[in-house]
Amino acid sequence: MSTQNETRRLTAPDIRSRKGGEPIVCLTSYHAHTARMVDAYCDVILVGDSLGMVMHGLETTVPVTLDMMILQGHAVMRGSKRALVVVDMPFGSYEASKEQAFGSAARVMKETGCGAIKIEGGRRMQETIAFLVERGVPVMGHVGLTPQAINTIGSFRAQGRDEGDWPPIEADARAVADAGAFAVVLEAIAEPLGRRITAQVPIPTIGIGASAACDGQILVLEDMLGLSPRVPKFVKRFSELGPSIEQAVQNYAQEVRARTFPSADHVYAMRKPTVTKLPERAKGPSRA
Ligand code: KIV
Protein backbone atom coordinates (compact mmCIF):
# COMPACT_ATOMS: atom_id res chain seq x y z
CA MET A 1 0.00 0.00 0.00
CA SER A 2 1.36 3.42 -0.94
CA THR A 3 1.50 6.09 1.72
CA GLN A 4 2.19 8.86 -0.83
CA ASN A 5 -0.46 11.53 -1.37
CA GLU A 6 -1.19 12.32 -5.00
CA THR A 7 -0.56 16.06 -4.49
CA ARG A 8 2.88 17.01 -3.25
CA ARG A 9 2.83 19.85 -0.75
CA LEU A 10 5.16 22.77 -1.35
CA THR A 11 8.03 22.93 1.12
CA ALA A 12 10.05 25.77 2.64
CA PRO A 13 12.97 25.02 0.23
CA ASP A 14 10.50 25.23 -2.71
CA ILE A 15 9.48 28.71 -1.57
CA ARG A 16 13.11 29.69 -0.87
CA SER A 17 14.02 28.75 -4.46
CA ARG A 18 11.45 31.19 -5.86
CA LYS A 19 13.61 34.27 -5.05
CA GLY A 20 13.39 36.66 -8.00
CA GLY A 21 11.03 34.33 -9.90
CA GLU A 22 7.28 34.06 -10.31
CA PRO A 23 5.60 36.03 -7.49
CA ILE A 24 4.75 33.92 -4.43
CA VAL A 25 1.05 34.12 -3.59
CA CYS A 26 0.19 33.93 0.12
CA LEU A 27 -2.98 34.43 2.15
CA THR A 28 -3.98 33.75 5.72
CA SER A 29 -6.57 31.15 6.68
CA TYR A 30 -7.72 29.88 10.06
CA HIS A 31 -10.35 27.30 9.07
CA ALA A 32 -10.53 24.07 7.09
CA HIS A 33 -13.14 25.35 4.63
CA THR A 34 -11.37 28.62 3.76
CA ALA A 35 -8.06 26.73 3.60
CA ARG A 36 -9.59 24.52 0.88
CA MET A 37 -10.46 27.58 -1.23
CA VAL A 38 -7.15 29.36 -0.63
CA ASP A 39 -5.14 26.18 -1.32
CA ALA A 40 -6.35 26.07 -4.93
CA TYR A 41 -4.65 29.40 -5.75
CA CYS A 42 -1.93 30.08 -3.18
CA ASP A 43 1.62 28.86 -2.59
CA VAL A 44 1.66 29.63 1.14
CA ILE A 45 -1.16 29.64 3.69
CA LEU A 46 -0.29 31.50 6.86
CA VAL A 47 -2.18 30.63 10.02
CA GLY A 48 -1.52 34.11 11.35
CA ASP A 49 -1.88 35.20 14.94
CA SER A 50 -4.13 37.90 13.42
CA LEU A 51 -6.75 35.22 14.17
CA GLY A 52 -6.93 36.75 17.66
CA MET A 53 -8.27 39.98 16.21
CA VAL A 54 -10.19 38.53 13.23
CA MET A 55 -11.82 35.46 14.84
CA HIS A 56 -11.87 36.41 18.50
CA GLY A 57 -12.40 40.18 18.38
CA LEU A 58 -9.28 40.91 20.43
CA GLU A 59 -7.77 44.42 20.26
CA THR A 60 -4.24 43.09 19.56
CA THR A 61 -2.49 39.78 18.88
CA VAL A 62 -0.79 39.80 22.30
CA PRO A 63 -3.30 37.53 24.13
CA VAL A 64 -3.15 34.76 21.47
CA THR A 65 -1.91 31.44 22.87
CA LEU A 66 0.00 28.49 21.45
CA ASP A 67 -3.08 26.29 21.92
CA MET A 68 -5.18 28.65 19.77
CA MET A 69 -2.56 28.53 17.01
CA ILE A 70 -2.31 24.73 17.16
CA LEU A 71 -6.08 24.23 16.99
CA GLN A 72 -6.46 26.42 13.89
CA GLY A 73 -3.20 25.19 12.34
CA HIS A 74 -4.53 21.66 12.50
CA ALA A 75 -7.80 22.74 10.84
CA VAL A 76 -5.91 24.45 8.00
CA MET A 77 -3.75 21.36 7.43
CA ARG A 78 -6.91 19.25 7.17
CA GLY A 79 -8.42 21.66 4.64
CA SER A 80 -5.39 22.03 2.37
CA LYS A 81 -3.27 19.72 0.22
CA ARG A 82 -0.78 21.71 -1.84
CA ALA A 83 0.22 24.98 -0.19
CA LEU A 84 3.00 25.28 2.38
CA VAL A 85 1.24 25.91 5.69
CA VAL A 86 3.12 28.30 7.99
CA VAL A 87 1.91 28.72 11.58
CA ASP A 88 2.65 31.94 13.47
CA MET A 89 4.33 31.66 16.86
CA PRO A 90 2.29 33.79 19.27
CA PHE A 91 3.65 36.41 21.69
CA GLY A 92 5.34 34.82 24.70
CA SER A 93 5.97 31.45 23.08
CA TYR A 94 9.50 32.05 21.71
CA GLU A 95 11.15 35.25 23.00
CA ALA A 96 12.50 34.07 26.38
CA SER A 97 15.22 31.81 24.98
CA LYS A 98 16.11 29.78 21.92
CA GLU A 99 15.26 26.65 23.90
CA GLN A 100 11.79 27.98 24.65
CA ALA A 101 11.40 28.81 20.93
CA PHE A 102 12.42 25.28 19.93
CA GLY A 103 10.03 23.68 22.44
CA SER A 104 7.10 25.75 21.16
CA ALA A 105 8.00 25.31 17.48
CA ALA A 106 8.41 21.55 17.87
CA ARG A 107 4.97 21.35 19.52
CA VAL A 108 3.40 23.32 16.68
CA MET A 109 5.02 21.18 14.00
CA LYS A 110 4.25 17.83 15.69
CA GLU A 111 0.66 18.67 16.59
CA THR A 112 -0.40 20.43 13.35
CA GLY A 113 1.84 18.79 10.75
CA CYS A 114 2.59 22.26 9.28
CA GLY A 115 5.71 22.81 7.18
CA ALA A 116 7.13 25.95 8.83
CA ILE A 117 6.65 28.54 11.54
CA LYS A 118 6.86 32.34 11.52
CA ILE A 119 8.37 34.55 14.19
CA GLU A 120 8.44 38.33 14.50
CA GLY A 121 11.67 40.28 15.00
CA GLY A 122 14.95 40.87 13.17
CA ARG A 123 18.38 41.15 14.81
CA ARG A 124 17.04 40.29 18.27
CA MET A 125 15.78 36.95 16.88
CA GLN A 126 18.82 36.12 14.73
CA GLU A 127 20.32 33.61 17.16
CA THR A 128 16.96 31.98 17.79
CA ILE A 129 16.21 31.61 14.06
CA ALA A 130 19.63 30.00 13.47
CA PHE A 131 19.06 27.63 16.43
CA LEU A 132 15.67 26.56 15.06
CA VAL A 133 16.83 26.12 11.46
CA GLU A 134 19.84 24.02 12.57
CA ARG A 135 17.38 21.75 14.40
CA GLY A 136 15.00 21.20 11.51
CA VAL A 137 12.47 23.99 11.94
CA PRO A 138 11.94 26.07 8.77
CA VAL A 139 11.46 29.70 9.78
CA MET A 140 9.75 32.60 8.03
CA GLY A 141 10.88 35.94 9.48
CA HIS A 142 8.77 39.08 9.94
CA VAL A 143 10.24 42.61 10.11
CA GLY A 144 9.06 46.19 9.67
CA LEU A 145 5.82 46.60 11.59
CA THR A 146 5.72 43.76 14.11
CA PRO A 147 2.23 43.80 15.68
CA GLN A 148 3.22 41.72 18.72
CA ALA A 149 5.38 44.70 19.81
CA ILE A 150 2.35 47.01 19.92
CA ASN A 151 2.81 47.77 23.60
CA THR A 152 6.34 49.08 23.05
CA ILE A 153 5.88 50.76 19.64
CA GLY A 154 2.54 52.34 20.63
CA SER A 155 0.62 52.12 17.34
CA PHE A 156 0.26 50.13 14.12
CA ARG A 157 2.00 52.90 12.10
CA ALA A 158 3.96 52.26 8.89
CA GLN A 159 7.74 52.07 9.36
CA GLY A 160 10.66 53.59 7.42
CA ARG A 161 8.88 56.62 5.98
CA ASP A 162 11.98 58.72 6.71
CA GLU A 163 15.19 57.56 5.08
CA GLY A 164 16.99 57.89 8.40
CA ASP A 165 14.84 55.03 9.74
CA TRP A 166 15.91 52.59 7.04
CA PRO A 167 19.24 51.18 8.37
CA PRO A 168 17.80 49.27 11.38
CA ILE A 169 14.98 47.78 9.27
CA GLU A 170 17.42 46.73 6.55
CA ALA A 171 19.72 45.26 9.21
CA ASP A 172 16.76 43.30 10.62
CA ALA A 173 15.92 41.79 7.22
CA ARG A 174 19.56 40.88 6.57
CA ALA A 175 19.87 39.32 10.04
CA VAL A 176 16.84 37.10 9.40
CA ALA A 177 18.28 36.00 6.03
CA ASP A 178 21.77 35.39 7.50
CA ALA A 179 20.21 33.25 10.24
CA GLY A 180 18.80 30.88 7.62
CA ALA A 181 15.12 31.87 7.35
CA PHE A 182 13.59 30.69 4.06
CA ALA A 183 11.56 33.91 3.55
CA VAL A 184 10.80 37.16 5.33
CA VAL A 185 7.56 39.11 5.67
CA LEU A 186 7.97 42.90 5.26
CA GLU A 187 4.99 44.55 6.92
CA ALA A 188 3.89 48.18 6.49
CA ILE A 189 7.13 49.78 5.36
CA ALA A 190 7.71 52.62 2.88
CA GLU A 191 7.61 51.39 -0.73
CA PRO A 192 11.22 52.32 -1.69
CA LEU A 193 12.49 50.49 1.40
CA GLY A 194 10.54 47.35 0.47
CA ARG A 195 12.07 47.47 -3.01
CA ARG A 196 15.57 48.04 -1.56
CA ILE A 197 15.40 45.19 0.96
CA THR A 198 14.11 42.84 -1.75
CA ALA A 199 17.20 43.66 -3.82
CA GLN A 200 19.50 43.20 -0.81
CA VAL A 201 18.47 39.90 0.74
CA PRO A 202 18.98 36.48 -0.88
CA ILE A 203 15.64 35.09 0.39
CA PRO A 204 12.12 35.85 -0.89
CA THR A 205 10.47 38.92 0.65
CA ILE A 206 6.73 38.63 1.22
CA GLY A 207 5.14 42.06 1.25
CA ILE A 208 2.11 43.25 3.18
CA GLY A 209 1.99 46.99 2.70
CA ALA A 210 5.56 46.95 1.38
CA SER A 211 6.14 47.01 -2.40
CA ALA A 212 5.00 45.29 -5.60
CA ALA A 213 8.71 44.60 -6.08
CA CYS A 214 8.61 42.05 -3.22
CA ASP A 215 9.02 38.41 -4.22
CA GLY A 216 5.51 37.65 -2.98
CA GLN A 217 2.47 39.23 -1.34
CA ILE A 218 0.27 38.32 1.60
CA LEU A 219 -3.03 39.68 2.95
CA VAL A 220 -5.39 38.63 5.70
CA LEU A 221 -8.18 36.73 3.92
CA GLU A 222 -11.06 38.37 5.81
CA ASP A 223 -9.61 41.83 5.06
CA MET A 224 -9.41 41.28 1.29
CA LEU A 225 -12.89 39.70 1.24
CA GLY A 226 -14.44 42.80 2.81
CA LEU A 227 -15.36 41.04 6.07
CA SER A 228 -13.26 43.19 8.41
CA PRO A 229 -14.86 46.43 9.57
CA ARG A 230 -11.58 48.42 9.66
CA VAL A 231 -8.59 47.68 7.44
CA PRO A 232 -5.14 49.25 7.03
CA LYS A 233 -4.32 51.36 3.92
CA PHE A 234 -2.41 48.47 2.34
CA VAL A 235 -5.49 46.23 2.06
CA LYS A 236 -7.29 46.07 -1.27
CA ARG A 237 -10.79 44.71 -0.83
CA PHE A 238 -11.08 42.18 -3.67
CA SER A 239 -14.69 41.55 -2.65
CA GLU A 240 -17.37 43.05 -0.40
CA LEU A 241 -18.81 39.95 1.24
CA GLY A 242 -19.93 41.78 4.39
CA PRO A 243 -23.11 43.34 2.92
CA SER A 244 -24.13 40.15 1.07
CA ILE A 245 -23.75 38.07 4.26
CA GLU A 246 -25.86 40.59 6.19
CA GLN A 247 -28.49 40.53 3.44
CA ALA A 248 -28.61 36.73 3.52
CA VAL A 249 -29.02 36.72 7.33
CA GLN A 250 -31.76 39.35 7.08
CA ASN A 251 -33.62 37.26 4.44
CA TYR A 252 -33.33 34.14 6.61
CA ALA A 253 -34.66 35.93 9.69
CA GLN A 254 -37.59 37.30 7.69
CA GLU A 255 -38.49 33.87 6.28
CA VAL A 256 -38.26 32.16 9.67
CA ARG A 257 -40.57 34.78 11.18
CA ALA A 258 -43.00 34.46 8.25
CA ARG A 259 -42.83 30.62 8.44
CA THR A 260 -41.93 30.50 4.72
CA PHE A 261 -38.69 28.74 5.61
CA PRO A 262 -38.39 25.77 5.68
CA SER A 263 -40.54 25.11 2.64
CA ALA A 264 -41.45 21.70 1.22
CA ASP A 265 -38.01 21.59 -0.48
CA HIS A 266 -36.19 21.63 2.86
CA VAL A 267 -38.17 19.15 4.97
CA TYR A 268 -38.38 15.37 4.96
CA ALA A 269 -41.62 13.79 3.78
CA MET A 270 -42.74 10.45 5.22
CA ARG A 271 -41.80 7.40 3.21
CA LYS A 272 -44.74 6.01 1.21
CA PRO A 273 -46.03 2.91 2.99
CA THR A 274 -44.68 -0.18 1.27
CA VAL A 275 -47.33 -2.54 0.00
CA THR A 276 -46.36 -6.09 0.89
CA LYS A 277 -47.53 -8.54 -1.68
CA LEU A 278 -49.38 -11.45 -0.11
CA PRO A 279 -48.85 -14.89 -1.58
CA GLU A 280 -51.66 -15.83 -3.92
CA ARG A 281 -54.31 -17.98 -2.22
CA ALA A 282 -54.38 -21.58 -3.30
CA LYS A 283 -57.38 -22.03 -5.51
CA GLY A 284 -59.93 -24.47 -4.11
CA PRO A 285 -63.69 -24.99 -3.86
CA SER A 286 -65.50 -22.06 -2.35
CA ARG A 287 -67.33 -22.65 0.91
CA ALA A 288 -70.34 -20.54 0.06
O1 KIV B 1 -0.82 37.32 11.66
C1 KIV B 1 -0.84 37.59 10.45
O2 KIV B 1 -1.88 37.47 9.78
C2 KIV B 1 0.39 38.06 9.84
C3 KIV B 1 0.33 38.62 8.47
C4 KIV B 1 -0.31 39.95 8.52
C5 KIV B 1 1.63 38.64 7.80
O3 KIV B 1 1.41 38.02 10.45
Side-chain angles (χ1 to χ4, degrees), residues 190-210:
E191 198 279 338
L193 178 59
R195 185 177 294 278
R196 205 173 133 95
I197 292 176
T198 300
Q200 273 177 27
V201 295
I203 57 173
T205 56
I206 309 296
I208 174 161

Side-chain angles (χ1 to χ4, degrees), residues 113-179:
C114 72
I117 56 101
K118 174 165 85 58
I119 63 181
E120 292 186 9
R123 285 159 294 164
R124 66 186 168 87
M125 280 298 138
Q126 182 167 6
E127 215 186 306
T128 297
I129 295 173
F131 188 83
L132 294 178
V133 175
E134 279 162 17
R135 284 158 184 78
V137 180
V139 178
M140 175 180 267
H142 184 155
V143 304
L145 175 66
T146 49
Q148 291 176 12
I150 183 65
N151 290 307
T152 46
I153 60 178
S155 75
F156 294 117
R157 250 203 320 269
Q159 311 285 301
R161 297 186 77 185
D162 295 307
E163 221 173 310
D165 299 335
W166 288 8
I169 306 172
E170 290 176 275
D172 279 342
R174 280 197 305 269
V176 165
D178 290 349

Side-chain angles (χ1 to χ4, degrees), residues 177-246:
D178 290 349
F182 70 92
V184 60
V185 169
L186 306 180
E187 179 164 354
I189 58 171
E191 198 279 338
L193 178 59
R195 185 177 294 278
R196 205 173 133 95
I197 292 176
T198 300
Q200 273 177 27
V201 295
I203 57 173
T205 56
I206 309 296
I208 174 161
S211 167
C214 288
D215 299 292
Q217 299 294 327
I218 187 162
L219 283 176
V220 169
L221 180 67
E222 284 76 358
D223 290 353
M224 59 86 89
L225 292 179
L227 287 171
S228 306
R230 284 174 292 128
V231 290
K233 171 186 164 62
F234 57 70
V235 174
K236 174 172 174 182
R237 288 179 182 258
F238 285 81
S239 188
E240 283 294 347
L241 293 190
S244 43
I245 292 178
E246 269 188 41

Side-chain angles (χ1 to χ4, degrees), residues 3 16-17 24-25 31 53 55 69 77 109 118 122 134 138 166 171 190 210 216 233 235 249 251-253 263:
T3 55
R16 166 73 186 80
S17 72
I24 301 162
V25 184
H31 319 100
M53 298 166 82
M55 284 178 69
M69 298 308 303
M77 284 300 292
M109 294 190 72
K118 174 165 85 58
E134 279 162 17
W166 288 8
K233 171 186 164 62
V235 174
V249 173
N251 294 349
Y252 166 74
S263 68

